[in-house]
Amino acid sequence: MSKLSGAVAIVTGASRGIGFAIAQRFVAEGARVCITGRDTEALETAVKELGGADVAIGVPGKGDDADHRAAVVDAVRDAFGPVSILVNNVGINPAYGPLAGLDLGAARKMVDVNVLGTLGWVQEALRGGLDGGSIVNISSVSGVRPAPGIAFYGVTKAALIHLTEELAVELAPAVRVNAVAPAVVKTRFATALYEGREEKVAATYPLKRLGTPEDIAGAVAFLCSPDAAWITGQTLVVDGGLTLTGAVQ
Ligand SMILES: NC(=O)c1ccc[n+]([C@@H]2O[C@H](COP(=O)([O-])OP(=O)(O)OC[C@H]3O[C@@H](n4cnc5c(N)ncnc54)[C@H](OP(=O)(O)O)[C@@H]3O)[C@@H](O)[C@H]2O)c1
């Protein structure tokens, strides 16, 4: 597999989970990657697992920190050259429950990290020379359909879908911009949605299992590859068929 040979990618929030699987897939397909996350040690371990400094670097920081974003793009350019792929994978959900009682501070943080953080990463990547490449934003099925209990998180993920469309128009033809919208994928982030009842939850999926990080990595790698050269502004739902049933979680 070398569909991404020569590519230079930033994958945000990639010390574990979906982001790490994306980084692994990118390296397997010939790209060099920069991964981010808040925990320095976890990043160092992940970089080793990816194959070390020849193919991967890690830069610690918070996704909603503008200085961190600028430092990442500069570090990537120094290590590997201009960015050609950006995967906006960082996303948070610090609040569960009805919108009527939602803490607005938590909502604002979600907008800062999930939406404005994503736009900030795009702006930085463009400053760093992203031209002729590809952006993928990690949305969620909760951004496609109502998802009671995680509603405002879904609002931010819906915003990412629209942001994807606007950016796709604005940045064409040089840069393609797409999104991926997963249902429940077995990571630390989603533990509360399936732990202790995985079989029961999986039974509601037409494909009878929950997602794995590799399921999402495959979709992202496709969207960044030459096979997707005529695809932009789209949101690829990767959900084991769940949304066909009317459910989102
Ligand atoms: N898992 C699912 O079911 C699911 C479904 C739909 C969409 N998604 C989306 O997929 C994305 C990845 O989720 P995941 O399930 O892979 O989560 P995860 O396993 O918890 O991994 C999250 C990664 O992001 C980093 N991170 C978290 N908050 C950060 C922040 N504020 N700034 C920088 N890095 C941060 C974490 O490292 P540190 O903790 O060290 O910072 C870690 O590397 C998110 O956007 C999520 O909304 C997930």
Side-chain angles (χ1 to χ4, degrees):
M1 290 194 287
S2 56
K3 284 189 176 166
L4 300 178
S5 185
V8 175
I10 294 173
V11 185
T12 68
S15 58
R16 62 172 187 267
I18 291 170
F20 182 69
I22 293 168
Q24 271 187 316
R25 180 69 183 254
F26 281 0
V27 169
E29 297 206 10
R32 286 169 297 167
V33 298
C34 174
I35 59 175
T36 76
R38 292 162 300 178
D39 182 328
T40 305
E41 251 179 60
L43 270 184
E44 284 169 2
T45 305
V47 165
K48 273 190 205 136
E49 279 183 54
L50 288 169
D54 286 348
V55 291
I57 59 169
V59 182
K62 294 180 183 173
D64 57 335
D65 175 353
D67 292 340
H68 165 62
R69 294 193 294 260
V72 167
V73 170
D74 290 344
V76 173
R77 207 182 26 225
D78 291 349
F80 301 137
V83 179
S84 57
I85 293 173
L86 170 65
V87 180
N88 287 304
N89 174 68
V90 165
I92 60 165
N93 180 24
Y96 289 87
L99 287 171
L102 179 67
D103 175 65
L104 293 185
R108 200 166 290 118
K109 186 70 180 172
M110 279 188 263
V111 171
D112 280 346
V113 176
N114 298 359
V115 185
L116 295 178
T118 294
L119 178 56
W121 280 111
V122 171
Q123 292 175 339
E124 270 308 325
L126 292 170
R127 180 189 66 79
L130 179 67
D131 187 19
S134 180
I135 296 171
V136 175
N137 298 320
I138 305 300
S139 177
S140 161
V141 290
S142 65
V144 177
R145 300 244 176 108
I150 54 170
F152 196 79
Y153 166 77
V155 169
T156 65
K157 292 298 190 177
L160 279 190
I161 291 172
H162 194 73
L163 185 66
T164 296
E165 293 174 352
E166 295 288 0
L167 286 169
V169 173
E170 190 172 315
L171 302 184
V175 179
R176 297 183 301 102
V177 189
N178 292 290
V180 171
V184 173
V185 177
K186 291 201 289 176
T187 67
R188 191 186 301 179
F189 178 80
T191 314
L193 299 176
Y194 68 88
E195 203 169 49
R197 55 194 171 97
E198 183 179 338
E199 217 171 296
K200 199 171 165 201
V201 178
T204 63
Y205 284 62
L207 293 183
K208 300 301 176 202
R209 68 170 175 87
L210 301 182
T212 65
E214 292 72 26
D215 289 321
I216 310 309
V220 173
F222 161 69
L223 287 171
C224 293
S225 79
D227 288 340
W230 210 42
I231 300 176
T232 197
Q234 301 304 305
T235 296
L236 183 52
V237 173
V238 183
D239 71 344
L242 186 69
T243 48
L244 299 174
T245 70
V248 289
Q249 54 175 301

